[in-house]
Amino acid sequence: MRTLLATLALSTLAAGASAQELGTPTLSSQSGGSAIGFTLRGGVGTAPEYPGSDSYEAAPAIGGSLDYLRLGGFSFGDPDPLYAPTGFGGMGSLRYVSKRDTSDHDELDGLDDVDATLEIGGGLRYATPDYRVFGVVRYGAFGHEAFVGELGADLYARPTDRITLRAGPRALFGDGDYAETYFGVSGSEAAASGGNLSAYDPDGGLVSAGVEFGAGYRINDTWGVDAIVTYEKLQSDAADSPITEDEDQFRASIGVTRRFTLGF
């Protein structure tokens, strides 16, 4: 299930990759009226075919970040494309989780399909020029309809003014509905599997823990290129699930970023 941290991680979802743009922003910090600045990311990547799978497949890597918002007397971020937030602040978070189609996997025969999910939420971060720590909570619309939380941190290195490197730990938590959706096996599903899968009722809690590495290259104020590699190890009930074939999960992606700043 290609979970690609699409992480429209409105501040890089939990660790966003460095994203910049092409051209000159259409709005300056002195402009009046409402305005929004955001970065979009598009590329390709590889990830497990579903949580716990030992098989991988290519998938689109789509994401972005909300960099700036001014609405009435409220403002968030900065229209400067080179602005890097520091101190305490809020952040948005979005992640796309692709559909689990059990007809594509013989080992999942008997299980229910899981629709594609768009996880939407937000949280808090504390950042300095050298590191960042964050925590976010998201709710899955359409698919798993459950709550997940993510904790993470990053150390930054900037060998040049155009290159940003980062690395840090990640931990993903899910409630009972999330665990049941991706790692549970009901009695009827176990029967439908013909005995290949045993009934399993997982509890919510820590789903995975790992580390993420990122590298970003700023072409100019509008365009950039970034790459992300993530390793996570399934934990607790997720690791013990009869659905899980491999506790070690890897993801990698590379994409182009484009920043937009719009007044309205």
Side-chain angles (χ1 to χ4, degrees):
M1 157 177 320
R2 305 154 290 176
T3 303
L4 286 168
L5 297 349
T7 300
L8 214 277
L10 301 169
S11 184
T12 28
L13 178 210
S18 159
Q20 315 291 335
E21 22 161 52
L22 177 243
T24 303
T26 60
L27 186 76
S28 74
S29 58
Q30 282 73 44
S31 301
S34 300
I36 187 171
F38 56 94
T39 299
L40 297 181
R41 177 180 188 269
V44 295
T46 184
E49 294 182 337
Y50 57 87
S53 174
D54 62 358
S55 299
Y56 289 75
E57 61 185 355
I62 303 170
S65 64
L66 176 63
D67 307 310
Y68 176 64
L69 177 65
R70 184 173 64 226
L71 191 62
F74 171 80
S75 64
F76 165 88
D78 193 289
D80 182 353
L82 302 182
Y83 170 73
T86 58
F88 284 103
M91 61 183 289
S93 180
L94 182 151
R95 183 177 75 154
Y96 174 77
V97 184
S98 60
K99 179 180 180 179
R100 185 183 76 183
D101 190 341
T102 56
S103 64
D104 294 337
H105 309 284
D106 293 341
E107 69 275 15
L108 300 182
D109 187 41
L111 294 182
D112 295 334
D113 292 340
V114 181
D115 291 338
T117 301
L118 185 64
E119 297 176 356
I120 304 171
L124 297 173
R125 56 103 179 111
Y126 178 78
T128 75
D130 299 318
Y131 68 88
R132 173 170 60 176
V133 295
F134 66 87
V136 296
V137 175
R138 298 185 296 268
Y139 179 76
F142 315 118
H144 61 64
E145 297 183 345
F147 285 95
V148 298
E150 187 173 6
L151 297 176
D154 281 306
L155 289 176
Y156 290 94
R158 297 176 177 85
T160 74
D161 61 354
R162 292 183 178 273
I163 297 175
T164 300
L165 307 176
R166 63 177 179 82
R170 298 288 186 272
L172 180 69
F173 300 83
D175 66 14
D177 288 339
Y178 181 87
E180 180 63 36
T181 299
Y182 291 111
F183 301 101
V185 181
S186 68
S188 59
E189 288 176 320
S193 75
N196 291 327
L197 296 171
S198 302
Y200 186 70
D201 184 17
D203 293 326
L206 180 62
V207 175
S208 67
V211 63
E212 183 169 289
F213 302 91
Y217 177 73
R218 180 170 57 84
I219 299 172
N220 54 33
D221 288 353
T222 305
W223 290 94
V225 178
D226 68 25
I228 304 171
V229 177
T230 304
Y231 163 74
E232 60 186 8
K233 188 176 184 66
L234 297 179
Q235 306 288 319
S236 306
D237 285 6
D240 295 336
S241 169
I243 296 172
T244 297
E245 296 190 315
D246 192 344
E247 298 176 9
D248 297 313
Q249 306 275 279
F250 297 88
R251 293 180 176 82
S253 67
I254 186 168
V256 175
T257 62
R258 169 65 156 99
R259 181 180 166 105
F260 299 84
T261 307
L262 308 172
F264 58 93

